[in-house]
Amino acid sequence: MNLKRNLGIAMAVAGLAGTTLAADLRFDGYPDYDSQLEAILGGFPQHNVELLMNEHGGHHDKLKTNLATGSGAGDVVLVDRGFVGSFINSGGFVDLTDRFAPYKDDFAEYAVAQGQGADGRQYAVPVDLGPGVMYYRRDYMEDKGYDVDNVIDDWDSYLDYGRELKEDGILLIGDATAVATAYWNFNVEPGNGLFFDADGEPLVTGPRFQRAFELAKAVRDEGMDGQISEWTEEWYAGFREGRFATQLSGAWLLGHLQNWMAPETSGNWGVSNLPDGIYGTWGGSFLAIPKQSEHQQAAWDLVEYMISEDIQRAGFENIAAFPAHTETYDDPMFDESIEFLRGQQARLLFADIAENIEPVQPHEGDQIAESLMTTALEQVLNDGVDIDTALANAERQIRRRVR
Amino acid sequence: MSTTKQSSVTSEPDQRWRRFWSKSTPYWFMSPYILIFGVFGIFPVFFMIFLSFHTWNPVQGLGSMEFVGLENYALGLTDPTLWQTLWNTILMALYSGVPQHLVALPLAFLLVQLGKRARHWLTTAYFLPYVTSTIAISMIFYIMYSRDSGIINQALMGLANWPVTAWAFGWLNHFLPIGWVQENSVIRYSVAFVVFWKYVGFNTVIYTAGLATISDELYEAATMDGASAWQRFRHIALPLLRPFIFFAVTLTIIGNMNLFDEPYVLTRGLQFASTNGMTVSNYLYRVAWEWLDMGGAAAISWILFVVIGIFTGLYFWFFGRRGLGGD
């Protein structure tokens, strides 16, 4: 009897200990991370992980509501670079500075900085990167007798190439806005943020934005783009039919191109630095742990697992998520030549870019500023609004809205 | 004797209990609705009044709310984008609303003339877009409006280049392909057409129901006096339909001023809605959920509420009395 009771107590205690050890976690994210997690969770038996996937926009909307109400968020959440600026200062994420400290130096410096709040603490940890690159049609360049290095020499040479292409009825790029976005994103003056300086003053009427708008306007006015918005059916068809000769984008576009957007154009493509040799980041994802999580330590175990070297490498293989862990760049798989890009060793280029990007401090007004600047750009390109007027208007509105 | 007394004593609280139940039964039946309406209907309205006097970034949690007085309203009223989007909303409301009624009225009259069987089938057909999901409809139109592969541009291109029709439509080539939902000059019409197409059936049903209330004798008498079909429509149907027209137009005003889904989907989540394609509701969604300024968005929605109130009020002032069937 006594023995039986003791045994029961022992079993209860063991059961209790078991539950505290193996927690039920939920990972909230967007595709393709479901494919990645399904592939790697087999190697993570410590906790039970459930996935909650929503499409990109819906996922972030849900996360906003979860943070607002303090409930309903997963234990680990995936955050896109575009949202990380407005989320990390929210006070809704667990401070990961101490836990991340031992790994910090192994990760791309600029991405680590992007995950830090205004107080310098680490609230989000980079999990994949989007080195900014230019994809280009090799065959068009050969036809025109151009070498890629001459084309990307600076922005003027890039536009000159566009003028040449126009004679053959080929567009330089799908939409001119990408030229402006690339320019203002990747020529940030040292010490400044994207749209705001260190004191929070908007920079949008400055020379960087002037030049960005002028470049895009030249592309549009001279008929070098097709006003084909990204991620539309026309854009995909444009890649398949070779309507445009270049695309400025994140390295991750390669996965989309070869898997579903234009697999039949394999061998015609190449990849290079962005024009003017600038290093920049185009997208990328972060992991964070909401404070509302009841299993923060277990959640960190999952984050730690996902940023470990092997898993970072697996992510690259599974879903072409470019590793944020820079130690992985020595892996032989980075030397592999890529058939879609006519045998180019593109990953070496991506790694080189990732290691050279300068950190830019996010500002909580970035999202408002970006949205207002995109509208201003559309007004210049489509409605013939004067650049100075559009920028001055945008600046006024940014000042009003960023409080 | 004693037994009857006893039973009456015990039944007293019993009866009160029963009376309470029978009296309160309707409220019990209503309680789920009242509860849900309170949580999702009444509470948000008051919360929004409260919110419009505060700044609140939702991702920072409820604690980050800060009282700012009338600042949100001042900001909204002096915001050029707000006025631009309000103007877009009014134009789209007119472009879609006016044709809706101009088509629905004669259509209903025609349907009634066609007799019962045809009327039932056709009314169902016209009503179908109304009961179909707005998102689904908008997505289909988005595909049809596509610049290079959309069926509308393809058809126009065919007309402009087919030798038989080229003489009449050749000039179209100058404009083709048209970015129906990308170009500022046409986007309001493209959105308005979808709204028109979706709601014309709804109004037709209201008007057919209205026409059914008009006695046949009136038509017969008029016919005997030699009134033409147009005269019967103009002098009998139209005046007697006034209360129905009034009702349907009021719904259109309120619905169109709140337009959100159609432009949102047609512009790919506002990606193309640079200047002319965005409605006030779209804008306040952007302020709230993209810019995370809930206070500012609440103030905008109250401004929109006042504007709708003014329009409906004006409409009542001018047409209300006669519209409701009075003199």
Side-chain angles (χ1 to χ4, degrees), chain A residues 61 64 67-68 86-87 90 227 229-232 234 243 367-368 371 375 378 383 397 400-401 403, chain B residues 58-60 71-72 75 78-79 81 146-148 184 268 271-272 274-275 285 289-293:
Chain A
D61 283 349
K64 285 173 200 167
L67 290 171
S86 48
F87 282 1
S90 70
Q227 296 191 41
S229 304
E230 293 177 7
W231 308 108
T232 61
E234 270 119 34
R243 287 189 61 197
Q367 200 138 32
I368 299 178
S371 152
T375 309
E378 295 285 342
D383 308 338
Q397 293 215 50
R400 290 160 46 89
R401 280 291 168 199
R403 299 185 278 186
Chain B
V59 301
Q60 298 181 356
E71 189 186 305
N72 287 326
L75 204 62
T78 53
D79 182 353
T81 319
S146 163
R147 195 204 314 257
D148 293 317
N184 252 335
R268 279 188 73 89
Q271 202 185 334
F272 305 147
S274 62
T275 323
Y285 173 83
W289 289 105
E290 288 179 25
W291 299 353
L292 301 173
D293 178 1

Side-chain angles (χ1 to χ4, degrees), chain B residues 165-180:
Chain B
T165 50
W167 62 273
F169 297 99
W171 55 272
L172 274 175
N173 271 328
H174 182 64
F175 300 100
L176 288 168
I178 300 168
W180 293 103

Side-chain angles (χ1 to χ4, degrees), chain A residues 11-169:
Chain A
M11 271 166 75
V13 169
L16 218 73
T19 52
T20 48
L21 281 178
D24 288 321
L25 295 176
R26 203 182 77 212
F27 180 90
D28 287 7
Y30 43 87
D32 261 350
Y33 262 88
D34 44 347
S35 322
Q36 159 73 348
L37 279 153
E38 273 157 22
I40 62 166
L41 281 179
F44 184 72
Q46 297 95 301
H47 307 292
N48 307 313
V49 182
E50 192 190 322
L51 304 184
L52 183 68
M53 292 289 149
N54 278 295
E55 49 84 27
H56 185 268
H59 165 74
H60 291 99
D61 283 349
K62 179 184 167 293
L63 189 52
K64 285 173 200 167
T65 330
N66 294 152
L67 290 171
T69 54
S71 70
D75 298 287
V76 177
V77 294
L78 193 63
V79 183
D80 183 84
R81 189 209 75 101
F83 292 92
V84 82
S86 48
F87 282 1
I88 44 173
N89 291 317
S90 70
F93 289 152
V94 176
D95 181 353
L96 300 173
T97 317
D98 297 333
R99 287 173 171 134
F100 187 55
Y103 307 102
K104 197 177 159 202
D105 295 335
D106 293 337
F107 283 77
E109 191 192 344
Y110 84 90
V112 172
Q114 280 178 336
Q116 289 168 349
D119 54 2
R121 312 291 289 177
Q122 197 81 37
Y123 293 103
V125 175
V127 64
D128 70 58
L129 309 177
V133 292
M134 182 181 92
Y135 286 98
Y136 61 93
R137 288 285 293 230
R138 287 178 187 275
D139 43 347
Y140 295 161
M141 241 172 236
E142 284 156 10
D143 290 349
K144 283 284 163 196
Y146 266 85
D147 184 65
V148 65
D149 292 333
N150 301 332
V151 172
I152 61 166
D153 192 34
D154 58 23
W155 287 95
D156 290 317
S157 62
Y158 176 67
L159 294 202
D160 282 339
Y161 176 56
R163 291 182 186 106
E164 283 279 328
L165 287 166
K166 208 193 154 215
E167 290 171 13
D168 294 354

Side-chain angles (χ1 to χ4, degrees), chain A residues 322-361:
Chain A
F322 195 81
H325 197 304
T326 52
E327 295 289 308
T328 59
Y329 302 165
D330 300 330
D331 194 273
M333 94 183 161
F334 275 79
D335 304 330
E336 253 172 54
S337 56
I338 294 169
E339 199 188 313
F340 187 83
L341 302 171
R342 206 183 280 179
Q344 192 178 351
Q345 289 173 303
R347 290 166 180 173
L348 294 174
L349 173 74
F350 300 159
D352 172 59
I353 295 172
E355 285 179 308
N356 279 293
I357 298 171
E358 291 293 325
V360 174
Q361 194 57 46

